[in-house]
Each structure stands twice: as structure tokens, then as C-alpha cells.
Amino acid sequence: MRIHSRLILSFCIATIVSVATASHADETCNSPYMSGLIKGQEDFVHVWTLGVPGMGDGSDKLVTISANPSAKTYGKVIHKISVGGRGEAHHMGFTDDRKYLWAGGLDDSKIYVFDVGSNPSHPTLIKTIDDLSAKTGYAGPHTFYALPGRMLIGDLSNAADKGGVTGMTVYNNKGDFIAKYDMPTTTIKQVKGDGYGYDIAVNPAKNALLTSSFSGWNNYMRDLGELMKDPDAMKHFGNSMVMWNLKTMQPEQILAVPGAPLEIRWALAEGQNWAITATALTSQLWLVSRDPQGLWQAKDVAQIGDPAKIPLPVDISITADAKGLWVNTFMDGTTHYFDLTDPQHPKETYSKHTGSQVNMVSQSWDGRRVYITSSLLSKWDKKGKDNEQFLRAFHWDGHELTPAFEIDFTKEQLGRPHHMKFTANPPRVASLTGASVR
């Protein structure tokens, strides 16, 4: 049941990985414990997609799209695999060996394990895990974060009252439950925890695991328009981040970050060691870094759009060198780029309207390709003509986003596209030593 010895070992692995990744064109938001990094151009984009009643088979599904310009199928859907129901498909994460992709449902709390290593162009569903709530009392598996031989899962809710008090779960790579960790509700270093959870991100060099906070099932499975008109419901969003000791899995600090801090991105390059997040309700970028006394501090460092209009920043993607940050704002359909050369003072240097509604943003490690999806949550997506559902791929030359290809998920009868992950054909997947593996 103990994972601490494995985590200690993982610090060595992380050091090797951080060196290896510098020459590979992989995603920038993956766990530092992952091997099997993509060498060069990604071949496929996998999209975890929400089922829509009456659209196709109506089920949540993993959709695979050809993404290599040299392929005859470039920009086309080449495979889809349904899970046989609708559970509010949301996020995914690779295992540390990158052979398997775990994907969760925020409504039914089921976890699906796909084999993406044997044949990346045609993933297969090999396991369904349905005991998360029974084992832990938690609900809504959200973030899937690879540890050596383990999957660390950040959950959004609980099975008792369906509120936001929750925790983290650990399974081994075979899908067996290992441990659970409650999000703190006590006071640590003069800040009281709210018990809410959302994203997970690790800085191995600092023995730091950072978590953020959102809201529970009662809110995220409710119509957004109704929710925003309910003052009491709007009080039930997270306003904290927690810094955990990675070795002991114990919370060491609680940071006050009002406004639902969502995705976390660490800058792991030598000498940086800071993290950044965006708050959904207050439209701010927040920097998490250590002060001269060694304590972690959270500071709002930049405004995203016009907070009065609640643009709702929903996803961020940091560049490999941590000098730039993409931010998607859902309400106004805008993709922003911030210069992070001085992380204490980020500057927005570019923006583009990329859809009526935009949600997830993923970029390749070399920064030359940016992918955007449209769906946030089934009850939060816009209605009518603004209910665009797409994957849009762009080229980025450092100055302008130019369209590469687009998949209309409504026209293709696929559903609502949310999270994305990249894979490549086996001959172009690099090992930690840089050699190709088959």
C-alpha cells in the first residue's frame, strides 16, 4: 500500500526524463515520470469525447485523429471506440510507460483504461474500473497523473453529499486500488483548507506536489446559466491550492487562491521551480513560488481579459522552456498567449478568436502546433448556433496562429470533444536513453 519508496526512486527517473524531453516534440503538460516520449511530429491526437443523446451511438468515446501532415489520412478521424454509456467524459492521462491511457467520467465516476501502445492508430479498451467511490467515498475522477508504476487521480466530488470536499486516489498500473488521501479541511500555516480538489502537478526536484480546487457534482452537473444565478451555489467553489510533501503525501501548506484555480503548470527548467495557474471565476494568472524563507507563496500576477465579463479561463498550456503560456477563455472563445519571460509580470502579446466556445488547449513540445477543443461540460456548453463542437489544429510561427485542419464533431456525429493526448507510431517513440524502441 505504501508508495513512498517508489516516489523516492522516481526522483532519479524524473531527472533523466527532464534531460531527455529537451529534444523531443511531446506535450508540455505531461507528468515528468513518463517515458516513451515522442521524437518529432506526433502522429495521432486522441480526443476524449462526451456522448450526446441522439448523436451517433450517444456514448462517450475515444476518437483518434491523424495528425501527421505526411499521412494520407491527415486531419481525418481514423478510429473511434465507445464505452457503452454516458458518464461525462472529461480528462485523461498516460501511465508512466505511456502504453496506456486512463480516462474518467465526472458523472458516473468510472475509469476506462485504453491500450494506446500496441497500435496507437487503433486504441482498444482493456479495462473498466468502477470501484472508485466504493473504495474511497470520492466521486468525479478528474486528473490522471503518472507516478512510477502508479496512477494518482485528483477527484472533484464525493459520493455522500456530491459536494466539493474530496481527495486523491492511487491505483497501480494494473488498476488495483492502493491508497486515498483526503484534501485538507484543517488549518495549516494559518490558512484553512476547503477540501476541494481539481488538478495535480509535481515538481520532483522540490519534493512538491501541488493541487488546485474547483467544485463538486452539485455544481458541475448543473446548467451553467442557472448556477450563475444562484448566489448560494456560487459560494461552493474552491479558493485554495495545497502544497504536499511528495515523499510522505502529507499536506504542508495551504495557499489562499480565490476564484477556483484550475490547471497547474510547473516550470521545471533549471533555476525556475515555479508554477502557474488560472482562476476561472476571477480571470487571473497566479504564480506559486518560494519566498526567501522557503515558504511557498501564491500571488496574482496578471489579468486575463475583462474579469467583469467572466471570460472563464478554462485551460492553460505552458511552453517547454516556460517562457510562454497559452490560455483559453471559454465564454468569449478566445485563445491568448502570455510572455512569461518574467513570471512575476506576465504580458499578453497575442490573442485570437478561435471559436464560439473554446476549452482545452494542447501544444507540441516544439511549440509549432496548437490544438483546441470546444466542450467544457455537457451542462455548461453554449446552446444554439454557439454550440460549436470541434477540434481545431493550428500552426504557430511565434507570431500568428494559422489553421491546419478542423474536425466538426457534430457533423461527424461524434459528440462533444474535450481532452486531448498525443501518440506516435512505435518507431518514433524515444526511450530515456534517446534510442528508438519498437
Side-chain angles (χ1 to χ4, degrees):
M1 182 170 173
R2 294 182 178 275
I3 62 172
H4 308 327
S5 60
R6 297 296 299 271
L7 289 173
I8 293 172
L9 174 63
S10 71
F11 290 120
C12 297
I13 297 174
T15 301
I16 298 171
V17 171
S18 65
V19 173
T21 53
S23 62
H24 303 307
D26 213 339
E27 297 144 294
T28 61
C29 63
N30 284 321
S31 165
Y33 304 114
M34 276 177 43
S35 61
L37 302 168
I38 298 173
K39 185 178 182 180
Q41 165 77 46
E42 60 278 0
D43 290 317
F44 312 105
V45 178
H46 305 287
V47 185
W48 190 216
T49 304
L50 290 75
V52 176
M55 183 178 291
D57 63 8
S59 292
D60 295 347
K61 57 183 62 67
L62 187 67
V63 177
T64 300
I65 296 162
S66 177
N68 192 323
S70 66
K72 294 180 179 179
T73 53
Y74 177 62
K76 304 295 183 183
V77 174
I78 58 172
H79 186 257
K80 57 185 177 182
I81 180 168
S82 295
V83 299
R86 287 189 301 277
E88 195 69 23
H90 208 66
H91 279 204
M92 308 181 286
F94 289 109
T95 50
D96 58 332
D97 59 8
R98 205 193 177 93
K99 293 180 179 179
Y100 303 97
L101 190 57
W102 290 41
L106 293 186
D107 189 18
D108 62 8
S109 297
K110 290 183 178 180
I111 299 168
Y112 302 95
V113 181
F114 297 94
D115 179 351
V116 294
S118 299
N119 184 354
S121 66
H122 287 73
T124 56
L125 177 63
I126 63 168
K127 189 179 185 68
T128 300
I129 301 170
D130 58 8
D131 64 357
L132 183 140
S133 293
K135 294 285 189 182
T136 67
Y138 307 147
H142 179 269
T143 299
F144 297 85
Y145 203 88
L147 299 177
R150 303 285 190 267
M151 182 64 75
L152 180 62
I153 303 171
D155 306 303
L156 292 192
S157 192
N158 67 75
D161 65 7
K162 297 188 176 181
V165 176
T166 186
M168 294 182 290
T169 312
V170 180
Y171 284 82
N172 64 24
N173 282 1
K174 294 182 179 180
D176 301 319
F177 172 75
I178 301 295
K180 58 171 283 189
Y181 301 95
D182 292 338
M183 301 300 296
T185 55
T186 56
T187 298
I188 303 176
K189 296 190 186 327
Q190 302 181 328
V191 181
K192 190 177 188 307
D194 51 32
Y196 286 24
Y198 185 79
D199 201 18
I200 296 169
V202 168
N203 183 337
K206 298 300 180 183
N207 186 34
L209 185 157
L210 184 60
T211 59
S212 56
S213 57
F214 180 53
S215 193
W217 186 97
N218 293 326
N219 275 358
Y220 66 68
M221 289 304 295
R222 185 177 177 184
D223 179 83
L224 180 60
E226 294 179 3
L227 174 64
M228 295 180 70
K229 295 176 183 177
D230 185 337
D232 183 64
M234 291 300 292
K235 295 176 183 177
H236 296 286
F237 281 88
N239 293 291
S240 67
M241 300 181 76
V242 180
M243 189 67 74
W244 302 69
N245 183 307
L246 180 60
K247 293 180 182 179
T248 65
M249 290 299 291
Q250 294 299 309
E252 293 190 332
Q253 271 189 260
I254 300 173
L255 307 172
V257 183
L262 299 183
E263 308 296 339
I264 305 167
R265 303 290 179 251
W266 277 106
L268 297 176
E270 185 177 357
Q272 293 181 323
N273 298 310
W274 47 265
I276 197 160
T277 189
T279 47
L281 303 184
T282 56
S283 302
Q284 300 286 329
L285 288 179
W286 283 73
L287 184 73
V288 177
S289 59
R290 270 183 166 161
D291 64 19
Q293 289 71 44
L295 289 176
W296 294 98
Q297 303 289 344
K299 174 185 177 184
D300 59 319
V301 291
Q303 178 178 298
I304 306 165
D306 182 356
K309 297 180 180 179
I310 315 180
L312 201 61
V314 283
D315 194 25
I316 60 177
S317 179
I318 198 167
T319 58
D321 60 7
K323 293 183 179 180
L325 186 78
W326 292 103
V327 181
N328 267 358
T329 46
F330 177 79
M331 288 297 198
D332 58 10
T334 301
T335 299
H336 312 254
Y337 186 82
F338 283 82
D339 183 340
L340 292 182
T341 303
D342 177 2
Q344 295 284 345
H345 302 92
K347 296 180 179 179
E348 182 171 341
T349 58
Y350 176 83
S351 68
K352 184 182 183 72
H353 183 265
T354 50
S356 294
Q357 55 187 8
V358 296
N359 189 22
M360 303 302 291
V361 54
S362 294
Q363 63 179 308
S364 58
W365 188 269
D366 58 13
R368 296 176 182 175
R369 297 168 300 285
V370 177
Y371 300 85
I372 293 170
T373 55
S374 53
S375 180
L376 176 51
L377 290 159
S378 62
K379 298 292 181 69
W380 288 29
D381 285 354
K382 296 180 180 180
K383 299 177 174 62
K385 64 179 179 62
D386 288 332
N387 185 29
E388 295 182 331
Q389 297 297 343
F390 58 79
L391 166 77
R392 287 178 177 156
F394 296 89
H395 300 294
W396 172 247
D397 62 2
H399 303 283
E400 179 67 32
L401 287 174
T402 55
F405 67 82
E406 175 178 347
I407 303 293
D408 185 329
F409 273 57
T410 300
K411 183 178 180 180
E412 298 282 344
Q413 294 288 287
L414 295 170
R416 301 172 184 265
H418 189 74
H419 205 195
M420 297 165 281
K421 287 295 181 182
F422 305 158
T423 57
N425 286 313
R428 291 194 305 99
V429 174
S431 70
L432 292 180
T433 62
S436 294
V437 295
R438 292 180 182 270

